[in-house]
Amino acid sequence: INSSISRTVFDIGKKKKRLKELEKELQNPDLWQDKKRAVKISQEFNHLNQEISSFDDLKKEIEKADSQKEINQLEKRLKRKIKEVFFSGKYDRKEAVLSIYAGAGGQDAQDWTTMLLRMYERYCQIKGFKVDILHQSFGEGGGPEGRIGTKTVTLEIKGLFAYGFLKNESGVHRLVRISPFSSKNLRHTSFALVEVVPRIQDPSQEDINVKSDDLKIDFYRASGPGGQYVNKRETAVRIRHIPTGIVASCQSERSQAQNRKKAMEILYSRLYDFYQKSHQKEMTEVKGKKVSASWGNQIRSYVLHPYKLVKDLRTGVEATGIEKVLDGQIDQFIEAEIRLGD
């Protein structure tokens, strides 16, 4: 426990120093002449104050603990607190928009995209995050079980630090297995691209200016796997930002107006990411450089045949229990990448 505290104290020390700076700014009577800046400073001050207070309270509890059971419980709480300390990025506390795109590999890649979708849904369930599928484009059915894959899918993930935990999942994920779509039981390699951006609800807070003339909005009927369950009304919405070519879609809500609102939020998030990448200094803070979902660009490999192994190519972390990983137990990879980024 003492070593865990010592690793954290330096970060808390920096945060306390920053808190004093913010407190001094808040005492400046001219601050509220710039309302947007004042709101940001107030929010940062409140977040830091809450974080430091909770850490100090936990430290006092540890010092008073006199039984091994109490110490073990407090150590678990401290580990969670240390994770939060690592989340010092501007948007780490925010909710997230996570998208998965099938890459090279045809039906296998579409099936792999569906497997990754389930993995992230299970991970979020374990973490206590709320997940909504905002848009899903289905592939063709096939294979011995008539499995229907996913071409693209976009998730809205709600919960404190959702973006902080998931931001480093951005990149290409590679799967090696015996293809269920191969009549000759051949080994196949599939790729899928994961994109994670912070959920931006108020574009004015991020200086994102979207003109209505720059938008092309289409309405269509949402459908399920294989084109089934087509809605009678055109409630699904697809919005294209003409200057950048960025597209956002939503079909999860019942009304056209609600889907349009959600699609605009996705668009704001992706535009934020796009504009940030134009500044080299902040390029890797959000989701890294744009890569294609193909060989040579993967961040993590999942091998089901001829052996079982998941390996993160950035941190070197490996796991042989691939079934557990695909069932959402990916904390070891996420935590290693968080520490590496720090």
Side-chain angles (χ1 to χ4, degrees):
I1 262 190
N2 288 333
S3 62
S4 296
I5 292 174
S6 63
R7 278 188 292 145
T8 312
V9 166
F10 181 69
D11 296 275
I12 292 295
K14 288 195 295 183
K15 290 175 187 290
K16 286 182 176 179
K17 183 179 178 182
R18 175 59 179 162
L19 192 69
K20 287 182 179 179
E21 293 172 356
L22 294 170
E23 188 175 20
K24 188 175 180 180
E25 286 195 66
L26 287 170
Q27 291 171 353
N28 184 350
D30 298 327
L31 174 65
W32 286 93
Q33 291 181 6
D34 185 345
K35 189 175 179 181
K36 187 188 294 185
R37 182 168 177 271
V39 168
K40 284 187 176 182
I41 290 173
S42 297
Q43 288 176 341
E44 186 182 354
F45 177 85
N46 291 333
H47 285 154
L48 277 177
N49 194 35
Q50 182 182 5
E51 186 177 312
I52 291 168
S53 295
S54 62
F55 177 78
D56 286 342
D57 290 343
L58 181 57
K59 187 179 176 183
K60 289 175 184 176
E61 286 186 59
I62 291 170
E63 290 169 350
K64 292 178 182 178
D66 55 8
S67 72
Q68 190 59 48
K69 185 178 179 181
E70 283 182 310
I71 291 172
N72 291 340
Q73 290 175 339
L74 290 168
E75 187 170 26
K76 288 180 181 178
R77 286 174 56 190
L78 180 61
K79 285 179 179 178
R80 288 196 297 269
K81 188 58 60 182
I82 288 172
K83 287 180 190 177
E84 294 177 10
V85 169
F86 277 115
F87 294 145
S88 57
K90 183 178 179 182
Y91 298 99
D92 286 351
R93 288 177 173 267
K94 277 190 174 288
E95 297 168 351
V97 175
L98 185 150
S99 301
I100 313 172
Y101 306 89
Q107 284 185 312
D108 277 281
Q110 293 171 11
D111 190 52
W112 174 222
T113 301
T114 302
M115 292 167 67
L116 284 173
L117 167 61
R118 182 185 180 278
M119 183 182 81
Y120 287 118
E121 285 181 316
R122 287 287 295 121
Y123 171 76
C124 291
Q125 184 181 354
I126 293 168
K127 302 297 287 188
F129 297 151
K130 185 178 183 296
V131 180
D132 288 317
I133 296 178
L134 300 182
H135 177 264
Q136 188 169 8
S137 172
F138 296 94
E140 303 79 23
E145 302 171 9
R147 283 146 72 160
I148 296 175
T150 301
K151 292 180 179 178
T152 66
V153 63
T154 298
L155 306 176
E156 179 183 74
I157 302 171
K158 295 181 179 180
L160 188 61
F161 298 110
Y163 178 66
F165 275 108
L166 288 162
K167 64 182 180 181
N168 294 310
E169 289 299 290
S170 289
V172 176
H173 296 244
R174 169 179 173 253
L175 173 70
V176 180
R177 63 172 175 175
I178 297 295
S179 171
F181 304 97
S182 170
S183 58
K184 297 181 180 179
N185 292 324
L186 298 176
R187 192 171 65 181
H188 196 94
T189 301
S190 308
F191 300 90
L193 176 65
V194 175
E195 172 196 80
V196 186
V197 294
R199 182 176 174 229
I200 305 294
Q201 293 176 275
D202 184 359
S204 64
Q205 291 286 325
E206 312 302 332
D207 296 322
I208 299 172
N209 184 22
V210 179
K211 299 177 182 178
S212 57
D213 291 344
D214 289 339
L215 301 178
K216 183 179 185 300
I217 304 175
D218 297 312
F219 304 102
Y220 60 99
R221 297 179 184 180
S223 63
Q228 302 174 37
Y229 320 118
V230 179
N231 289 349
K232 292 181 180 179
R233 297 174 60 236
E234 293 185 339
T235 56
V237 178
R238 182 185 299 109
I239 302 175
R240 179 183 179 88
H241 185 247
I242 297 169
T244 60
I246 293 172
V247 177
S249 304
C250 183
Q251 62 185 36
S252 62
E253 305 296 331
R254 291 186 178 183
S255 75
Q256 193 178 90
Q258 289 173 316
N259 279 324
R260 178 170 176 164
K261 182 176 181 291
K262 288 285 186 184
M264 283 302 299
E265 287 183 9
I266 298 170
L267 185 68
Y268 294 146
S269 300
R270 289 177 177 164
L271 282 172
Y272 163 79
D273 181 67
F274 176 84
Y275 293 136
Q276 287 299 305
K277 285 167 64 177
S278 66
H279 301 90
Q280 292 294 324
K281 188 182 292 185
E282 297 181 23
M283 185 178 292
T284 58
E285 186 178 329
V286 182
K287 68 169 185 180
K289 63 181 180 180
K290 186 71 174 179
V291 295
S292 63
S294 59
W295 186 274
N297 293 317
Q298 62 268 17
I299 62 166
R300 191 178 301 148
S301 288
Y302 307 70
V303 181
L304 282 164
H305 184 85
Y307 50 86
K308 292 187 177 183
L309 180 71
V310 183
K311 182 173 182 178
D312 194 289
L313 304 179
R314 300 160 299 177
T315 62
V317 171
E318 297 181 353
T320 55
I322 190 169
E323 291 84 2
K324 291 182 179 180
V325 171
L326 293 175
D327 196 38
Q329 297 183 34
I330 56 175
D331 258 332
Q332 59 187 315
F333 301 106
I334 286 176
E335 289 176 17
E337 187 59 34
I338 289 170
R339 289 193 295 270
L340 184 68
D342 189 73

